Amino acid sequence: MFVTFEGPEGAGKSSVIRNLSERLDAQGVRHLCTREPGAGTFGKAVRSLLLEGEGIEPRAEVFLFLADRSEHISHIVRPALDRGEVVLCDRHADSTVVYQGHARGFDVELLRQWNQFATGGLRPDLTLLLDLPAEIGLARLTNKDRLDAEPLEFHQRVRQGFLKEAGLEPDRWRTVDASRPLEEVAEACWQAISHSMGR
Ligand code: Z5A
């Protein structure tokens, strides 16, 4: 089962994934925790270009995210799914539609097509949207990267973009109120995953 976690900055995706990984371990469920961008040697190199570089041309940014995704799916996600593992992925294709589309202004339909090309058609079985106001998420961050440093209006468009995408495909998305304490957010995500796993 392929589960992706999306949401604005500081929503708690990484913390929730760590919590869920412990729960899956306790139940003996084999799983892989991964992320975009930044998995594997290729992903780490692309991540440093994307988040630590200065003044990347916005079209180049799109293609770097897509290149990372293509490598990540082929070499890390598909092999894990083929081994029967549950894959928990911190950000994926919806982040491109939202950040580069809804927030930066590139054509959303074009980005969907490029995502399809990059993933070879693989789609998440479940996408958890950790939703919270941009101000709350940004206030949680201690180290800001290049994208975190965008103006507040950018992050507000990100939040609205995710809510819009979730509304378009309600069978795949579950929206969780991520402004609550971490344990409550993790429990809500756990319930959604358990339901999808038929447990
Ligand atoms: N991006 C893009 O533009 N296009 C794409 O296609 C893709 C990504 C794939 C990735 O950076 C950036 O790339 C991201 C989107 C863009 N940009 N921005 N801006 P990243 O991976 O470094 O950043 P992130 O995915 O946004 O993660 P994050 O902001 O670091 O946060 P998080 O993983 O959601 O949260 P966290 O690390 O678990 O928690 C953050 C802090 O909040 C930490 O101190 C926690 O202890 C605290 N926390 C967590 N949960 C709670 C609760 N519930 N209450 C209180 N405090 C909490």
Side-chain angles (χ1 to χ4, degrees):
M1 187 170 76
F2 182 26
V3 185
T4 57
F5 294 76
E6 301 280 7
E9 283 57 55
K13 300 179 305 303
S14 319
S15 308
V16 164
I17 288 173
R18 279 195 296 276
N19 180 299
L20 297 175
S21 177
E22 286 170 12
R23 295 179 191 230
L24 289 169
D25 272 338
Q27 297 211 351
V29 177
R30 288 186 304 127
H31 61 282
L32 172 79
C33 300
T34 185
R35 69 173 175 175
E36 294 184 9
T41 312
F42 185 91
K44 286 187 179 69
V46 175
R47 182 179 176 87
S48 113
L49 278 174
L50 276 164
L51 300 183
E52 291 155 29
E54 282 182 16
I56 295 181
E57 210 285 323
R59 278 166 289 206
E61 181 185 87
V62 172
F63 289 115
L64 285 172
F65 280 118
L66 292 167
D68 170 68
R69 181 156 307 131
S70 178
E71 279 283 316
H72 182 224
I73 292 294
S74 296
H75 293 132
I76 295 176
V77 175
R78 275 194 197 275
L81 293 172
D82 290 345
R83 292 192 299 268
E85 295 174 15
V86 172
V87 175
L88 305 179
C89 184
D90 190 342
R91 294 201 184 280
H92 180 57
D94 298 301
S95 278
T96 301
V97 171
V98 169
Y99 280 85
Q100 281 62 54
H102 293 285
R104 280 251 193 273
F106 287 118
D107 184 319
V108 164
E109 291 311 319
L110 190 58
L111 294 172
R112 289 192 211 286
Q113 288 173 29
W114 287 346
N115 266 333
Q116 167 91 2
F117 178 70
T119 61
L122 183 71
R123 306 270 297 161
D125 299 294
L126 173 66
T127 298
L128 291 162
L129 170 56
L130 272 56
D131 174 57
L132 82 176
E135 297 89 333
I136 298 182
L138 289 171
R140 288 179 180 172
L141 300 184
T142 43
N143 291 324
K144 286 196 167 52
D145 60 37
R146 189 177 63 81
L147 280 156
D148 294 328
E150 289 282 350
L152 179 62
E153 303 76 58
F154 178 89
H155 296 289
Q156 287 168 335
R157 290 199 295 280
V158 165
R159 185 192 186 193
Q160 293 310 320
F162 275 124
L163 289 169
K164 186 168 181 185
E165 289 300 310
L168 293 176
E169 261 185 285
D171 288 349
R172 170 165 71 90
W173 292 77
R174 292 287 173 275
T175 302
V176 172
D177 175 1
S179 65
R180 295 176 292 165
L182 176 60
E183 190 56 41
E184 287 181 30
V185 181
E187 177 60 27
C189 294
W190 177 247
Q191 292 301 327
I193 290 178
S194 302
H195 181 77
S196 288
M197 288 169 67
R199 289 179 173 229

